[in-house]
Amino acid sequence: MLNLLREGQVYELLLVSKSNLTPVGVVRRGRRLHFRLFPGKSFRDLLESSYAAIQITNDPELLVRSALNLELNLKFESEGEYRWVSNMPGWLGEVQCSRKIWEDEIGTTEVLECEFVPKRELPGEIPLRPFSRADCIIIEMAVLFTRYLVKPGDKTRAKILELYKLYRHLGGTSETAEYILAHLTKGSQK
Ligand SMILES: Cc1cc2nc3c(=O)[nH]c(=O)nc-3n(C[C@H](O)[C@H](O)[C@H](O)COP(=O)(O)O)c2cc1C
């Protein structure tokens, strides 16, 4: 199943750690999956326990809502130190992380550079979901919004607003997009 991920391409997958679920941008190199974590719950979890699951979804709402820590309707299973979402394909494995310093336009921060070694495949079903550009756009909005939460700025805000317009133009109606918009406006009034 690892071959489903083209080597070197970034895939938005779900990382299930000790106490958290979050989307991560994952790149496969050989039989290992690489990702980078900025400070947060998953970052802290992986420092405490290296057991994790990486799972595959094609549900944009799930990727976006888990990034924003909004309510989700998911069932979890666990075994020993492992935890995963029921009936969702992916892998259980161990994560080796090293702490690095990261610098970008947001500032300087610590990051975890992580390498996930799959130990066991998780079976599951992915619902049939036709491709929609609106789904791509809401993912992009959420990525930018999580950056905006760390460092609010007019440029990021303007990009999100532009994406929101395109999202609506493409027929997107998710209430999560409205949530992003509402919190964006509040952020800018601070
Ligand atoms: C599609 C998508 C992909 C993301 N990928 C990453 C990632 O690779 N690394 C990361 O640190 N945050 C990523 N984020 C942002 C996190 O989900 C967000 O900052 C979250 O709050 C992480 O914090 P937590 O570990 O406290 O839940 C992504 C967000 C989205 C919407």
Side-chain angles (χ1 to χ4, degrees):
M1 192 165 70
L2 270 178
N3 291 339
L4 292 176
L5 308 173
R6 286 191 202 150
E7 268 196 274
Q9 185 167 328
V10 182
Y11 290 89
E12 305 307 329
L13 304 179
L14 290 170
L15 170 73
V16 188
S17 56
K18 212 172 104 169
S19 70
N20 200 41
L21 170 78
T22 200
V24 275
V26 171
V27 174
R28 178 172 76 85
R29 291 197 201 103
R31 293 203 44 79
R32 287 165 184 238
L33 303 181
H34 295 256
F35 59 92
R36 180 177 297 128
L37 278 185
F38 290 89
K41 276 194 233 163
S42 309
F43 183 110
R44 289 193 295 275
D45 273 3
L46 289 190
L47 290 177
E48 284 171 24
S49 167
S50 58
Y51 298 91
I54 290 193
Q55 297 187 264
I56 302 171
T57 180
N58 61 1
D59 181 350
E61 278 289 305
L62 180 50
L63 289 165
V64 168
R65 293 183 71 84
S66 59
L68 305 182
N69 292 314
L70 298 174
E71 201 188 333
L72 294 169
N73 187 16
L74 291 175
K75 273 198 201 141
F76 287 86
E77 286 178 51
S78 59
E79 191 184 296
E81 294 207 54
Y82 285 116
R83 209 168 71 91
W84 66 93
V85 180
S86 301
N87 196 29
M88 185 183 281
W91 305 267
L92 297 179
E94 281 189 54
V95 191
Q96 295 152 7
C97 296
S98 50
R99 299 171 93 128
K100 295 268 162 63
I101 298 296
W102 179 262
E103 268 182 58
D104 64 13
E105 64 278 10
I106 287 188
T108 304
T109 181
E110 207 179 4
V111 291
L112 280 187
E113 297 280 359
C114 301
E115 192 177 84
F116 175 88
V117 185
K119 301 271 178 198
R120 194 171 106 198
E121 247 178 45
L122 291 170
E125 285 157 38
I126 291 191
L128 195 56
R129 196 182 299 276
F131 189 87
S132 163
R133 260 177 80 206
D135 291 344
C136 303
I137 302 299
I138 196 172
I139 296 288
E140 211 49 42
M141 278 177 71
V143 169
L144 286 175
F145 184 61
T146 55
R147 291 174 71 81
Y148 179 84
L149 290 176
V150 178
K151 191 177 177 197
D154 286 345
K155 236 169 119 184
T156 314
R157 185 173 181 277
K159 270 194 216 162
I160 299 172
L161 285 172
E162 200 178 314
L163 287 171
Y164 175 76
K165 273 191 214 146
L166 178 56
Y167 177 73
R168 299 284 297 164
H169 175 74
L170 293 168
T173 55
S174 155
E175 67 177 41
T176 318
E178 302 305 325
Y179 172 95
I180 293 178
L181 203 73
H183 287 76
L184 199 61
T185 313
K186 273 186 211 150
S188 72
Q189 285 169 348
K190 269 183 204 163

